[in-house]
Amino acid sequence: MGEATDIVRTGRKFAQVLAGARAVFMADGFEGASVDDIAKSAGVSKATLYSYFPDKRLLFMEVANAECNLMAARAMERIDDSYPVREVLTVTGRHLVDFLLSDFAQQIFRICVAERERFPELGRAFYASGPEMGRDRLADYLTCAVARGELAIDDIPMAAEQFSELCKVKLWTRAVFGIQTEFSEEEKNDLVRNAVDMFLARYGT
């Protein structure tokens, strides 16, 4: 045991461990999160916690992966390929903006940056389950839209990256540096509208 692929992801206590770890990581960061506090928050024994995750890094990566998968699943539920491209991109962009500005995403980003020298695998794991997965799913949609003649894109992976970056303009930077912590619906919608307008100005047919 010791690899993410060896984790047994079943049972009520497994869900408790993830929920407890999420709460502690959010409150105390990675370095400050103790096994004792995580076990207490999860309502399980340390022995049970270790039976699932012998390494705190694996637990952190599992929490990040589970949250990203949940966010992606919720986003996909609201996306219908039969809708006009502008509508699909608007819904996608809004989900992305909400996630980027969420307390969870902001805290995980700070942890990954703070621990990148000692534990670079934390950042790699979050990138794979978050930005990379989101880019790949968006690229799948863009590929279909190009095939239908709705978009004209030569480099689809690059276009997917560009759309993600457009959704980070202004607000994400303000959040990362702590300049702004609350964002209105108007601000978020304005950001997404501008991102979609610019993307379609470049790739629309």
Side-chain angles (χ1 to χ4, degrees):
M1 199 166 176
E3 297 297 328
T5 53
D6 296 327
I7 297 171
V8 180
R9 297 174 173 85
T10 58
R12 177 176 55 85
K13 289 190 175 181
F14 176 78
Q16 287 178 222
V17 168
L18 283 190
R22 184 190 190 283
V24 175
F25 284 135
M26 286 290 292
D28 301 331
F30 180 80
E31 180 64 23
S34 71
V35 174
D36 287 336
D37 288 342
I38 292 173
K40 182 178 180 180
S41 178
V44 301
S45 67
K46 286 174 65 175
T48 297
L49 178 60
Y50 280 125
S51 71
Y52 286 113
F53 300 98
D55 187 323
K56 189 170 72 170
R57 286 172 292 182
L58 290 177
L59 179 51
F60 174 84
M61 290 187 285
E62 187 69 19
V63 168
N65 184 63
E67 189 77 11
C68 289
N69 282 333
L70 178 61
M71 291 286 186
R74 288 173 177 171
M76 296 303 293
E77 286 176 359
R78 296 186 57 188
I79 295 175
D80 188 331
D81 288 356
S82 66
Y83 291 172
V85 172
R86 178 177 291 277
E87 187 170 346
V88 172
L89 291 176
T90 298
V91 172
T92 300
R94 182 53 198 266
H95 273 282
L96 180 56
V97 169
D98 285 338
F99 178 69
L100 290 171
L101 298 180
S102 69
D103 291 339
F104 176 84
Q106 289 290 311
Q107 176 69 325
I108 295 298
F109 176 78
R110 286 192 290 267
I111 290 173
C112 290
V113 172
E115 302 292 339
R116 68 177 185 173
E117 297 299 330
R118 295 192 308 152
F119 305 125
E121 62 269 31
L122 299 182
R124 287 196 292 265
F126 179 58
Y127 178 79
S129 62
E132 187 174 48
M133 180 177 68
R135 180 203 65 199
D136 291 345
R137 293 192 177 187
L138 178 57
D140 288 342
Y141 168 75
L142 296 179
T143 299
C144 294
V146 168
R148 292 192 297 266
E150 298 169 337
L151 294 171
I153 305 174
D154 293 327
D155 188 340
I156 289 177
M158 174 61 78
E161 293 272 12
Q162 289 171 332
F163 184 74
S164 296
E165 291 302 311
L166 287 171
C167 291
K168 293 169 68 177
V169 170
K170 186 179 178 178
L171 302 189
W172 184 81
T173 307
R174 287 174 174 269
V176 166
F177 288 102
I179 296 171
Q180 187 174 349
T181 57
E182 299 293 332
F183 302 91
S184 68
E185 294 296 299
E186 183 180 357
E187 286 178 300
K188 294 178 182 179
N189 289 335
D190 184 60
L191 169 58
V192 173
R193 181 170 57 252
N194 277 282
V196 173
D197 284 347
M198 183 168 287
F199 189 83
L200 291 180
R202 171 65 178 85
Y203 295 116
T205 56

